[in-house]
Amino acid sequence: MAISLNQLKDYWKNLALAHNQVKSFSWGTNLDLTSDSSIEYPRVHVIPVSTNLALNAATHTLNVLCIDLVRIDDFEQLDEVWSDTQQILTDLKNHFVFQAPEWVSLDGNPTLTPVLEDYRDRFSGWQMSIVLQVDTDFGDCSLPFQNFTDPVCQ
């Protein structure tokens, strides 16, 4: 089964929003924490970092952030947010270990790094660097070219 990047994005969205604690999801090259005050937290945001294309697989490196709002002067809440967001990312990683569909597999061990950003509010959580290998099932005969036929595919 060939999986596109958009299908992988939709899979992440459905997976994240199925988690009991996650309230919102986003995808893209950067996370804008200042533009939309209607966003619910905790939020999972996936940043595509790189893709390595092999014969029948694509290996995607993704940075997955799980963040929540923290009151500026509440360090106990900060500890709670760090604990909760780390657990959410651990749950997402474990999905790929124990329950992932056959078209995707975890490559290596993800690395988690704490996040603390001050904007109008304080955002805190964790960032997970994860590598997933997905089926592409590309071959010479399935390429989308017009007026060209490879003799092998005839």
Side-chain angles (χ1 to χ4, degrees):
M1 174 178 204
I3 301 299
S4 71
L5 188 60
N6 277 335
Q7 290 169 313
L8 183 61
K9 172 187 170 183
D10 290 342
Y11 189 82
W12 268 101
K13 178 180 181 180
N14 292 332
L15 176 64
L17 294 177
H19 193 283
N20 290 334
Q21 291 177 276
V22 175
K23 303 297 183 209
S24 63
F25 174 84
S26 56
W27 173 283
T29 55
N30 57 4
L31 175 61
D32 184 3
L33 298 173
T34 61
S35 65
D36 190 351
S37 61
S38 67
I39 294 173
E40 295 183 77
Y41 293 91
R43 179 181 192 88
V44 169
H45 180 82
V46 178
I47 301 170
V49 175
S50 66
T51 300
N52 182 358
L53 298 175
L55 182 59
N56 288 314
T59 303
H60 299 282
T61 300
L62 306 168
N63 284 339
V64 182
L65 288 95
C66 186
I67 57 169
D68 203 346
L69 290 169
V70 180
R71 289 184 299 277
I72 294 288
D73 58 348
D74 191 341
F75 293 105
E76 285 184 30
Q77 185 191 24
L78 177 62
D79 290 342
E80 190 67 28
V81 165
W82 272 344
S83 179
D84 289 350
T85 55
Q86 185 183 64
Q87 186 60 54
I88 291 168
L89 290 177
T90 301
D91 295 342
L92 294 173
K93 184 272 301 183
N94 284 339
H95 167 80
F96 290 102
V97 173
F98 300 113
Q99 298 177 341
E102 62 185 35
W103 54 263
V104 63
S105 61
L106 180 65
D107 188 2
N109 296 312
T111 301
L112 276 70
T113 307
V115 174
L116 182 62
E117 298 288 337
D118 290 326
Y119 291 95
R120 285 177 293 172
D121 297 302
R122 175 172 281 180
F123 295 89
S124 183
W126 288 85
Q127 174 177 289
M128 173 174 63
S129 179
I130 189 169
V131 179
L132 298 175
Q133 183 172 313
V134 300
D135 294 343
T136 57
D137 200 26
F138 291 130
D140 191 25
C141 299
S142 63
L143 296 174
F145 294 113
Q146 294 179 6
N147 301 322
F148 177 80
T149 303
D150 187 324
V152 173
C153 299
Q154 293 181 346

